Structure formats: C-alpha cells, structure tokens
C-alpha cells in the first residue's frame, strides 16, 4: 500500500512539473526535428470585425541547416465584407524568453515584433499594431492560471497537451492598414499558445466568440490516441462564469456536429449548471489551413476554419436561464476526422 501511495505522489509531482504555466508563453527549445510552436491571437472589434494573427516557428527534417523558421498568418474578417488571408514565411526568426518570466519576443527584423506588450507587423501591403490596455483575463485561476484546459488529463505521460489559453479577453487598442483599408479602434484579444513535436489529435473542433461583454471558448476531440472524446471550455460574463473541466461526450456532453453543413451544437451539463451552444457558418466562409497539420506533421487532413460563424449560447443555473449570448460573428473550426471530407 505504501508503495502505491508513493507512486501516486511521485506521478502527481511529475504531472505538476509538466503542467503548462503562464511563463510558457515564451519560446521553447525544439525536442525533435519535427516541430511547431504557435501563438494564436484573435482580436475582435465588434464595429469592424475579427483579426487573427498566428505567429509560428517550425522545423522539418528537410530544412538545411536545421534551424527554426517562421510562419506568420494574418486573417482580416470584416463585418459583412470579404475575408482576406495573408501568409508569409521567413527563413530566420529571433526568439527570446526565460523560464519563470512572462517576458518574451518573437521577432523577424523589420517585419515582425511580438512580445508580452503586443504585436507590431510591417509586412508587404499590411501594417498592424496592437497593444494591451487592460488586465488579462486568464482561462483558469488558482495557483496556476496557465494550466492547460484539460487539467491533469492533459499532463498524463503519453498525452502531454502542451497548450494553454493565456487570455480569454484582454482590452486592446489597435491600428491597421491593408492596402487602401485602414482602421484604428479598441477591442478584446484572445490568446492561446501551443508547442508540439508530433500530431496529438485525430480530430478536434473549436469555437470561440470574444466581445467586451462576454467571452466564450470551447474545444474538444480525441486527444493523444485516447478512444474518448473530451470537451473543455469557459464562458465569462457579468452574469455567469463557467469553467468546464474535461467532460465526456455521451455522458455530460451532448454533441451534434456536421462540418459539411458548417454546424456544431453542444449541451454540457454539470452539477447545477448547463450551457447550450450552437454555432453555424456558411461553407463559403471556411478557408483551408495546412500549416502546421499537413506541412509540418504530414497529417492526412488539414483544418477548415471560419471567422464568420453565428454563435448563440444559453447558460442555466439550477434550471433557471441566467445569461444568453448572441453574436453574428465568431470562430468555428474542424480538424482531422471532424473535418468535412470534401
């Protein structure tokens, strides 16, 4: 019995050491010659639309010399307008950051400068500057607000989800110019972070809606070869704050999904709490992303992404409706086996 207890304590300490933390916002050292590290920013100005900035490092066995390269992905999805997608690759990237500090830098000289204070892009035909003006609303609280959403399950050996949500919504100011289009304004920024040396999922879905008043993120699928489908997420407003710990489809999660129709519906029930979320998007609003899923990791399926999803949410407490969310523009993604085969 003592040996079993000792083993459990040892594993608990090991998982705690492996757990993601806020200082993991910094760059990490590649653990193999197949590698991707990603910073995903979503800025929403409800009067203008969504901006997505994805800054990634990547490494593949065919690169010579074996040094991390950079990939920057920008999407502008204006309210009621035509979506614009920009991709740019760079042979060199400068990375800074130390364990124990949330200070970091992702830099391509004269082109890209991203750190703990904001984003500055000066690319061909695009200028984008963002700075934070308020406190970060981290995904989790407690002693480790940078814990990955899957909790201890995500820290299990063999699963190791090196991914976390840094901010559900941070007040921000921005300036933006794309060709003849220019805007400056205020919004909220969602940021998540991940780093991988191999593919981790067989099929995942993601939905998000971030406004100054309410923030919603849900993601789920089969992780690390597990035969079960897990979902996590959080809903935040003045009326309700629900953190969804790992929940199983077929038990506390009811799911309807059809990527070929651009549709996802979730009902998650916990003790005294229930949230119903429905997301839909025209198929013409989805675009295909192959980085890093196919380009780096050679997965069969890329990811289909929309930044024009209609999302509604209803939150109940002990059977009573306490809050609702209706947004005409949100995020919806399907990957791997969840993606429409066409």
């Amino acid at each position: 019995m003592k040996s079993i207890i000792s083993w459990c304590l040892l594993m608990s300490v090991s998982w705690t050491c492996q757990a993601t933390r806020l200082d993991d916002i910094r760059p990490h050292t590649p653990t193999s010659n197949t590698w991707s590290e990603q910073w995903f920013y979503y800025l929403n100005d409800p009067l203008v639309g969504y901006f997505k900035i994805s800054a990634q490092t990547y490494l593949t066995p065919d690169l010579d010399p074996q040094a991390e390269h950079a990939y920057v992905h920008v999407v502008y999805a204006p309210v009621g307008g035509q979506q614009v997608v920009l991709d740019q690759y760079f042979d060199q990237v400068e990375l800074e950051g130390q364990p124990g500090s949330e200070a970091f830098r992702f830099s391509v000289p004269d082109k890209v400068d991203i750190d703990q204070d904001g984003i500055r892009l000066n690319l061909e035909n695009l200028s984008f500057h963002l700075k934070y003006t308020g406190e970060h609303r981290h995904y989790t609280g407690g002693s480790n607000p940078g814990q990955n959403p899957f909790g201890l399950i995500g820290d299990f050996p063999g699963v190791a989800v090196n991914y976390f949500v840094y901010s559900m919504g941070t007040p921000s100011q921005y300036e933006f110019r794309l060709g003849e289009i220019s805007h400056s304004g205020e919004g909220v920024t969602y940021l998540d972070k991940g780093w991988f040396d191999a593919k981790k999922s067989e099929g995942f879905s993601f939905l998000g809606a971030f406004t100054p008043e309410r923030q919603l993120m849900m993601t789920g699928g089969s992780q690390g070869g597990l035969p079960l489908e897990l979902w996590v997420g959080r809903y935040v407003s003045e009326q309700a704050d629900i953190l969804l710990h790992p929940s199983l489809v077929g038990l506390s999660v009811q799911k309807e999904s059809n990527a070929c129709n651009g549709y996802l519906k979730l009902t998650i029930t916990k003790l005294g709490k229930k949230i119903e979320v429905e997301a839909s998007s025209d198929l013409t609003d989805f675009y295909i992303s192959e980085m890093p899923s196919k380009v780096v990791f050679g997965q069969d399926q890329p990811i289909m992404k929309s930044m024009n999803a209609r999302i509604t949410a209803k939150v109940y407490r002990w059977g009573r409706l306490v809050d609702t969310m209706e947004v005409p523009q949100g995020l919806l993604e399907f990957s791997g086996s969840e993606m429409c085969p066409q």
Side-chain angles (χ1 to χ4, degrees), residues 161-225:
V161 181
N162 293 324
Y163 154 80
F164 70 106
V165 177
Y166 185 83
S167 175
M168 285 290 291
T170 304
S172 306
Q173 290 181 346
Y174 72 95
E175 296 179 357
F176 156 77
R177 180 188 57 77
L178 176 63
E180 301 300 318
I181 305 169
S182 63
H183 294 294
S184 62
E186 298 180 348
V188 292
T189 302
Y190 166 95
L191 167 59
D192 66 31
K193 168 73 189 299
W195 61 102
F196 314 92
D197 59 13
K199 69 176 184 178
K200 290 291 184 182
S201 67
E202 299 302 323
F204 254 69
S205 303
F206 169 88
L207 64 86
F210 313 107
T211 71
E213 298 79 21
R214 293 171 175 82
Q215 294 92 51
L216 166 70
M217 189 285 289
M218 289 186 174
T219 186
S222 177
Q223 183 72 40

Side-chain angles (χ1 to χ4, degrees), residues 105-139:
R105 172 158 273 121
F106 176 111
S107 176
V108 177
D110 303 320
K111 300 291 185 180
V112 181
D113 188 17
I114 300 175
D115 60 20
Q116 69 277 4
D117 297 319
I119 302 170
R120 295 155 295 280
L121 305 178
N122 291 293
L123 306 177
E124 184 178 355
N125 207 36
L126 170 69
S127 173
F128 183 91
H129 291 189
L130 176 148
K131 67 176 181 179
Y132 302 128
T133 57
E135 296 296 321
H136 301 297
R137 174 169 270 171
H138 297 305
Y139 181 84

Side-chain angles (χ1 to χ4, degrees), residues 71-75 85-89 123 287-289 291:
Y71 165 71
V72 176
H73 172 70
V74 181
V75 184
V85 181
L86 300 173
D87 294 293
Q88 193 156 351
Y89 292 82
L123 306 177
Y287 72 96
I288 300 301
S289 173
M291 183 69 182

Side-chain angles (χ1 to χ4, degrees), residues 13-325:
V13 171
S14 173
W15 294 334
T16 300
C17 293
Q18 294 175 6
T20 57
R21 297 184 177 278
L22 290 178
D23 69 331
D24 281 316
I25 196 69
R26 60 186 166 81
H28 293 71
T29 301
T31 54
S32 78
N33 60 1
T34 303
W35 174 262
S36 175
E37 188 158 22
Q38 309 162 22
W39 292 258
F40 274 99
Y41 298 81
Y42 292 97
L43 166 69
N44 180 32
D45 179 343
L47 300 177
V48 176
Y50 267 92
F51 302 86
K52 173 165 66 174
I53 297 91
S54 173
Q56 304 182 25
T57 65
Y58 68 97
L59 188 61
T60 56
D62 60 312
L63 291 178
D64 186 18
Q66 278 286 292
E68 290 178 86
H69 286 40
Y71 165 71
V72 176
H73 172 70
V74 181
V75 184
Y76 170 47
V79 175
Q82 184 65 40
Q83 181 172 269
V84 179
V85 181
L86 300 173
D87 294 293
Q88 193 156 351
Y89 292 82
F90 301 95
D91 292 338
Q92 295 180 327
V93 58
E94 297 177 2
L95 304 168
E96 299 176 15
Q98 295 293 328
S101 170
E102 294 172 46
F104 77 100
R105 172 158 273 121
F106 176 111
S107 176
V108 177
D110 303 320
K111 300 291 185 180
V112 181
D113 188 17
I114 300 175
D115 60 20
Q116 69 277 4
D117 297 319
I119 302 170
R120 295 155 295 280
L121 305 178
N122 291 293
L123 306 177
E124 184 178 355
N125 207 36
L126 170 69
S127 173
F128 183 91
H129 291 189
L130 176 148
K131 67 176 181 179
Y132 302 128
T133 57
E135 296 296 321
H136 301 297
R137 174 169 270 171
H138 297 305
Y139 181 84
T140 56
S143 60
N144 182 13
Q147 173 72 53
N148 80 73
F150 293 90
L152 285 177
I153 293 175
D155 298 330
F156 283 170
V159 179
V161 181
N162 293 324
Y163 154 80
F164 70 106
V165 177
Y166 185 83
S167 175
M168 285 290 291
T170 304
S172 306
Q173 290 181 346
Y174 72 95
E175 296 179 357
F176 156 77
R177 180 188 57 77
L178 176 63
E180 301 300 318
I181 305 169
S182 63
H183 294 294
S184 62
E186 298 180 348
V188 292
T189 302
Y190 166 95
L191 167 59
D192 66 31
K193 168 73 189 299
W195 61 102
F196 314 92
D197 59 13
K199 69 176 184 178
K200 290 291 184 182
S201 67
E202 299 302 323
F204 254 69
S205 303
F206 169 88
L207 64 86
F210 313 107
T211 71
E213 298 79 21
R214 293 171 175 82
Q215 294 92 51
L216 166 70
M217 189 285 289
M218 289 186 174
T219 186
S222 177
Q223 183 72 40
L226 295 175
L228 306 173
E229 184 174 343
L230 292 172
W231 277 83
V232 295
R234 189 178 180 189
Y235 178 92
V236 184
S237 73
E238 289 187 2
Q239 291 74 30
D241 188 349
I242 297 180
L243 178 65
L244 299 168
H245 296 287
S247 305
L248 283 171
V249 170
L251 293 178
S252 56
V253 180
Q254 303 302 315
K255 173 191 168 190
E256 298 177 36
S257 177
N258 188 329
C260 293
N261 289 335
Y263 181 76
L264 176 65
K265 181 178 181 180
L266 296 166
T267 301
I268 302 178
T269 305
K270 296 291 188 176
L271 180 62
K273 300 177 182 179
K274 182 172 77 169
I275 182 168
E276 298 174 347
V277 179
E278 192 169 13
S280 62
S281 179
D282 297 337
L283 284 182
T284 54
D285 284 328
F286 284 92
Y287 72 96
I288 300 301
S289 173
E290 296 186 342
M291 183 69 182
S293 57
K294 295 190 72 172
V295 174
V296 177
F297 298 124
Q299 290 182 260
D300 294 333
Q301 294 280 8
I303 304 175
M304 54 186 290
K305 302 184 177 186
S306 172
M307 295 176 64
N308 282 295
R310 300 170 291 278
I311 297 179
T312 62
K314 296 180 179 179
V315 181
Y316 298 85
R317 186 173 290 118
W318 300 111
R320 182 174 65 89
L321 181 66
V322 296
D323 200 16
T324 60
M325 180 184 205

